[in-house]
Structure formats: C-alpha cells, structure tokens
Amino acid sequence: MRKGKFKIRITAALCAVLGWWGLLYPDLTLTPDTVRIICREDGTEYASDRDWSFDDNLYLELLGTDRDNIRFRSRLLTELNAFWEALSWDKSTAN
C-alpha cells in the first residue's frame, strides 16, 4: 500500500512540474507541434501558414484574443473520450 501512495505522489509531482513549465515559459510550450492556428473568414476556415520562431509573440496575441475565438483540444482528452464512449456503448440499441 505504501508503494502505491509513493507512485501517486511522484506522478502528481511530475504533473505539477510539467504544468509549471508551461506557466513559466509559455513561449517554449507553444510550438508548431502543439499549436495550430485556423483562420476563419466569410464562413471558410483555413490553416495559417505562419512561420514559427522563439522570438514570435504568439503567446501575447493569444492573451489579447477574444475568448470565443480560442478552442483548446487535447489529444489525450480526445482519446479518453473515445475510450469512454466505447465503454458506455448501449447494447440495447444494436441490431
């Protein structure tokens, strides 16, 4: 039982450290792998071809953007949602 609590504490500490890294250095966490900018004009959406660099002010632009224009997506949460839907599939609706 003691080992289980120790593993949980280590996992929680690791998550806290990674979270603080993103708060302290947001410019390093907003990379092309983690951020996709989609522009919307006249009802059409297209991906922005913005070049990324460490000197970019994307974080400051995101702070000044209206709340309704920002959507967060997490691959982990998307996969967990798909897994949850698969588990909660109602067999009474099947053929």
Side-chain angles (χ1 to χ4, degrees):
M1 185 69 167
R2 196 169 177 113
K3 284 185 178 182
K5 286 184 180 181
F6 185 67
K7 288 180 183 180
I8 291 173
R9 284 184 179 182
I10 289 177
T11 304
L14 182 62
C15 290
V17 167
L18 292 174
W20 274 106
W21 177 261
L23 289 174
L24 293 176
Y25 302 104
D27 295 337
L28 297 178
T29 58
L30 297 173
T31 64
D33 296 334
T34 60
V35 175
R36 183 174 55 167
I37 301 172
I38 298 179
C39 301
R40 190 180 309 152
E41 290 180 10
D42 301 329
T44 59
E45 293 183 353
Y46 60 92
S48 174
D49 56 353
R50 179 180 185 154
D51 291 331
W52 182 87
S53 69
F54 280 110
D55 297 328
D56 197 7
N57 60 354
L58 176 63
Y59 178 68
L60 296 176
E61 288 179 25
L62 288 174
L63 286 178
T65 304
D66 187 25
R67 273 184 151 175
D68 298 332
N69 293 331
I70 297 178
R71 284 185 282 165
F72 293 98
R73 274 187 79 178
S74 167
R75 184 172 180 177
L76 174 66
L77 295 178
T78 303
E79 295 296 327
L80 285 174
N81 187 28
F83 179 70
W84 181 255
E85 286 179 0
L87 286 179
S88 63
W89 180 59
D90 187 10
K91 294 180 181 173
S92 65
T93 60
N95 293 335

